[in-house]
Amino acid sequence: MKRTLLLACALIATTSLALVGCGTSGSAAKNSKKFARNFSYSKSGEITKGEAATGDSVTISIAATSDMHGRIYPWSYSIDAADNSGVGFAQTDTIVKEIKAQYPDTLLVDIGDSMQDNSAELFIDLDTHPMVEAMNMLGYDLWIPGNHEFNFGLDFLERNINNFEGRVVCSNIKYADSKKDFVLPYQIYVIDGVRVAVVGAVAPHIKQWEASSPEHFQNLDFTNPIDSLKETVKALEGQYDLLVAALHISRQGEYEEEGKSGVFQIAEAVPELDAIIAGHEHALYCEKINDTYVLEPGRYGSHVAFTKFNMKKDESGKWQLVDVSAENIATKGKETSKEVMDSFKWVHDKAQANANEVVGKVSADFVDGVDYITGEEHVTTMPRTQLEDTALMDLINEVQAFYSKAQISTAATFNNDQNLKAGDFKRKDVAFIYKYDNTLMGTNITGENLLKYMEWTVGYYQSAKEGDVTIAFNPDFRAYNYDMLSGINYEIDISKPVGSRIVNATLNGEPIDPKATYKLAVNNYRFGTLMANGWATLKDVYYSSANDAAPTIRDLIVKYTNEELKGVLSPKCDHNWKLVGLPSTFNDPDTIAKIKSGEIKIPSSSDGRTPNVKAVRK
């Protein structure tokens, strides 16, 4: 029976967390090996930290970060500005040092997605990536690889696993041919005499997210984490006093496949776990699921998940867990570590220089009033780019259609505030309007499947009702999954239920023919969605930029600017799609005035990732 425990959950921050596209893949360092890989990660064996306790009680502590996404300095290179929200290893190190001053033998863990985003791709050819160097310098004991660790190829990942000075743990990555583990499924630490076993797992959808680059997961299988954790826990029976899971998996899992396996389901299915420290969702929470305690520290190092386990010896001398306390400690306002800032100034300097390289000119602003209601350049109500066609989205789709020679292109907004402003066009502006290192793919798709895909993506909107003044988004449907298409004309009737909203879809004046085949430009992440839903297969692919000299969509935007637009970007919008079925109360002037004044605030999702999740009503 699970031991009865007490939990003190403290969320030390109120900062809302914005979206990042989990699951999005990027360009690869080329992997030329075609035969089944045989990477061998040999670090193993128990690790002892501290001296055995002399008394009959001891406190075991674990500090964890997750989804650091290229943050060492508290800096955002996509806009080349300081990030004062509390991010980066330079600030998490300050908290960890404070923790270790009280608990010297604290186990330090990172739960994945460290080496992607925020100009991290500039350093993928180095023997050791700076993010791994930083983890080594800060003394991380354990690293659970996230899905983004696979973005740049297996050679890259294996090299950095070997160069990480701690242990790398993940139980649900197996070799397809031998069924052996890719890395260690667990690690046992003897901390102050207490045997602490840490098991790891990652979201199992990497083959879908990396579908355009199968060499990124060559000869690997990603198994159901509940199954792998049950198997691992069974193998650990009798070897631990305390059992903790570090999981790069969201709370409820992803997609609607049978047997969803989010960390909440794992907490129910594997009751032997004394705590779960999670990542991947970029969420901030600390909750109890049955008798297991689950917390996640947000993203970018905004918080450090800190968990304490009070242990006491019973009459037989065996350690028993008495209670648990857990909190997410905010880094905002903390001083930066001078050691980290000095050691990685070269990374900061290189990223800044790259961000400020001028690659063209912008003749005029591309979006007039990023916020739909206030007209301001920061979204506080509704993002304009998701409510109407804009020159910005048309530019991205224009680039994609040109290089893939597609009839139709589709793209999403990754940043609610994204815009191009008149003046120099710099690489940081490219990153600002296209956040991820996605590659471009051209795929054949039937009209029937195209319409199914379009119906799926407009599920981002909640159904509009009479009395609604604003348009609400589905909090369970991430913005990076809402795509806007070019090359065809269509309307989205949001008065209708999900699955029957696309109306008047035409190409060159003719209705989309369900039996015809069309050429569609998508990024590699969205192609994974098409494959997962049976709307396209690898055989349908006729173009991929992954092997080109300019492999990413960001590279192609720069190339198109210089070679096709002669260095000058000018806004133009074809207004090929629009929302219809709006209630008569939409944009009611009196209510809109109250929203502008701040008297009425449009609610965001509880995790802060989706704005505008409930319609304001008249």
Side-chain angles (χ1 to χ4, degrees):
M1 179 179 294
K2 179 76 177 181
R3 292 159 287 188
T4 301
L5 308 177
L6 302 174
L7 173 69
C9 263
L11 294 181
I12 308 181
T14 58
T15 307
S16 63
L17 300 177
L19 169 73
V20 67
C22 299
T24 307
S25 348
S27 62
K30 305 297 186 299
N31 178 356
S32 60
K33 298 181 181 179
K34 296 182 179 179
F35 189 69
R37 305 179 66 89
N38 191 28
F39 169 69
S40 177
Y41 182 61
S42 59
K43 296 178 182 177
S44 60
E46 288 187 354
I47 298 174
T48 299
K49 291 173 66 73
E51 302 292 331
T54 55
D56 62 357
S57 63
V58 68
T59 297
I60 303 299
S61 61
I62 300 177
T65 54
S66 185
D67 299 276
M68 295 299 292
H69 285 288
R71 270 79 179 171
I72 297 177
Y73 270 42
W75 203 269
S76 176
Y77 298 107
S78 66
I79 57 174
D80 191 30
D83 188 339
N84 297 316
S85 63
V87 302
F89 280 133
Q91 286 181 282
T92 59
D93 185 42
T94 301
I95 291 177
V96 170
K97 285 176 178 174
E98 291 173 355
I99 291 172
K100 287 190 173 182
Q102 186 173 2
Y103 302 99
D105 300 323
T106 296
L107 194 66
L108 185 56
V109 182
D110 185 80
I111 309 179
D113 279 7
S114 59
M115 300 183 293
Q116 177 268 342
D117 192 22
N118 208 37
S119 294
E121 73 280 357
L122 297 176
F123 308 96
I124 60 175
D125 290 330
L126 298 180
D127 186 55
T128 304
H129 195 277
M131 293 298 287
V132 173
E133 283 192 18
M135 286 195 286
N136 286 340
M137 192 181 82
L138 273 57
Y140 273 76
D141 298 285
L142 199 66
W143 175 28
I144 284 72
N147 55 287
H148 281 292
E149 262 68 70
F150 289 85
N151 285 175
F152 304 106
L154 283 176
D155 287 338
F156 166 78
L157 177 55
E158 292 166 358
R159 185 171 72 244
N160 281 282
I161 287 174
N162 270 330
N163 292 339
F164 177 60
E165 293 172 1
R167 296 290 189 261
V168 181
V169 169
C170 193
S171 66
N172 68 325
I173 309 177
K174 310 284 186 181
Y175 283 108
D177 54 1
S178 66
K179 308 303 179 186
K180 292 181 179 179
D181 295 305
F182 176 62
V183 293
L184 304 174
Y186 65 86
Q187 178 62 50
I188 296 175
Y189 297 88
V190 182
I191 305 175
D192 301 334
V194 177
R195 295 173 301 166
V196 181
V198 183
V199 297
V202 66
H205 311 289
I206 291 168
K207 286 188 177 183
Q208 173 178 334
W209 297 329
E210 299 290 328
S212 66
S213 302
E215 69 274 13
H216 289 192
F217 52 83
Q218 186 178 23
N219 194 33
L220 294 180
D221 281 336
F222 301 87
T223 63
N224 182 289
I226 289 179
D227 295 339
S228 71
L229 290 167
K230 282 183 174 181
E231 179 183 346
T232 303
V233 169
K234 184 177 181 180
L236 277 166
E237 190 172 353
Q239 300 181 60
Y240 62 85
D241 303 306
L242 182 67
L243 181 62
V244 177
L247 309 176
H248 191 85
I249 298 171
S250 60
R251 280 171 286 188
Q252 299 295 340
E254 292 167 271
Y255 313 112
E256 296 300 324
E257 76 274 16
E258 188 175 348
K260 282 172 62 175
S261 50
V263 293
F264 283 4
Q265 287 84 22
I266 290 169
E268 294 174 342
V270 192
E272 296 91 341
L273 295 171
D274 295 309
I276 295 174
I277 310 169
H280 182 59
E281 196 177 350
H282 297 199
L284 183 66
Y285 61 87
C286 180
E287 299 189 29
K288 177 181 177 181
I289 305 298
N290 292 336
D291 289 327
T292 302
Y293 303 98
V294 186
L295 69 160
E296 181 176 349
R299 63 173 186 170
Y300 304 165
S302 68
H303 296 75
V304 174
F306 180 47
T307 312
K308 293 187 295 183
F309 306 86
N310 292 323
M311 310 292 295
K312 189 176 181 64
K313 283 184 180 177
D314 61 19
E315 294 179 355
S316 67
K318 180 176 175 58
W319 289 107
Q320 299 291 341
L321 182 58
V322 177
D323 63 70
V324 178
S325 63
E327 58 182 332
N328 283 311
I329 306 174
T331 54
K332 186 175 182 178
K334 292 290 183 180
E335 289 188 10
T336 56
S337 162
K338 186 178 185 302
E339 181 184 13
V340 173
M341 298 291 280
D342 289 347
S343 297
F344 293 95
K345 186 176 183 299
W346 65 276
V347 174
H348 178 66
D349 290 346
K350 181 173 180 177
Q352 271 198 307
N354 178 266
N356 286 288
E357 181 185 344
V358 176
V359 294
K361 293 285 184 181
V362 179
S363 66
D365 294 0
F366 269 59
V367 182
D368 183 16
V370 169
D371 188 290
Y372 184 82
I373 291 177
T374 68
E376 298 296 327
E377 295 306 311
H378 172 64
V379 174
T380 57
T381 66
M382 300 189 295
R384 185 176 299 277
T385 53
Q386 293 168 357
L387 298 178
E388 62 184 36
D389 195 14
T390 64
L392 185 61
M393 296 311 298
D394 280 2
L395 170 66
I396 295 169
N397 277 320
E398 181 181 335
V399 171
Q400 293 185 167
F402 178 83
Y403 287 108
S404 64
K405 295 180 172 56
Q407 300 159 284
I408 305 165
S409 178
T410 179
T413 55
F414 301 132
N415 183 332
N416 288 331
D417 295 342
Q418 66 188 50
N419 196 0
L420 284 178
K421 306 288 287 182
D424 287 341
F425 183 44
K426 300 179 179 180
R427 287 198 181 274
K428 67 180 181 181
D429 301 315
V430 184
F432 187 52
I433 67 170
Y434 204 97
K435 183 174 185 177
Y436 301 110
D437 296 314
N438 295 130
T439 56
L440 176 64
M441 302 186 72
T443 181
N444 291 309
I445 189 169
T446 65
E448 179 183 7
N449 286 335
L450 174 65
L451 292 170
K452 286 180 180 178
Y453 154 55
M454 293 172 67
E455 290 287 2
W456 168 80
T457 197
V458 298
Y460 181 61
Y461 298 106
Q462 294 187 36
S463 294
K465 303 178 181 66
E466 191 62 30
D468 291 350
V469 177
T470 60
I471 298 167
F473 302 148
N474 181 351
D476 298 322
F477 198 108
R478 300 306 182 196
Y480 55 76
N481 282 326
Y482 174 51
D483 296 335
M484 288 149 274
L485 285 76
S486 69
I488 61 172
N489 293 304
Y490 63 102
E491 296 172 344
I492 307 163
D493 189 342
I494 59 173
S495 70
K496 295 183 177 180
V498 174
S500 57
R501 291 175 168 175
I502 298 296
V503 293
N504 300 324
T506 62
L507 176 66
N508 298 325
E510 296 294 327
I512 296 297
D513 182 354
K515 296 182 179 180
T517 299
Y518 300 91
K519 293 189 180 301
L520 177 69
V522 294
N523 67 38
N524 59 315
Y525 174 64
R526 181 60 68 242
F527 181 74
T529 304
L530 299 181
M531 282 190 60
N533 286 284
W535 300 327
T537 70
L538 284 172
K539 292 181 180 179
D540 295 315
V541 175
Y542 66 85
Y543 168 80
S544 173
S545 69
N547 296 316
D548 293 348
T552 72
I553 292 170
R554 295 202 304 210
D555 294 330
L556 294 174
I557 291 171
V558 174
K559 181 179 180 181
Y560 189 79
T561 300
N562 290 318
E563 296 181 2
E564 306 304 324
L565 301 178
K566 308 307 178 187
V568 180
L569 289 163
S570 297
K572 57 182 180 180
C573 182
D574 60 10
H575 301 287
N576 68 299
W577 67 270
K578 64 179 179 179
L579 299 178
V580 298
L582 299 172
S584 64
T585 48
F586 177 67
N587 268 342
D588 171 68
D590 292 339
T591 309
I592 292 297
K594 291 179 180 179
I595 295 173
K596 285 183 177 179
S597 70
E599 184 179 343
I600 295 176
K601 183 175 176 58
I602 300 177
S604 298
S605 59
S606 59
D607 62 9
R609 296 181 64 184
T610 305
N612 188 44
V613 297
K614 185 176 181 180
V616 174
R617 294 180 59 78
K618 184 176 178 181

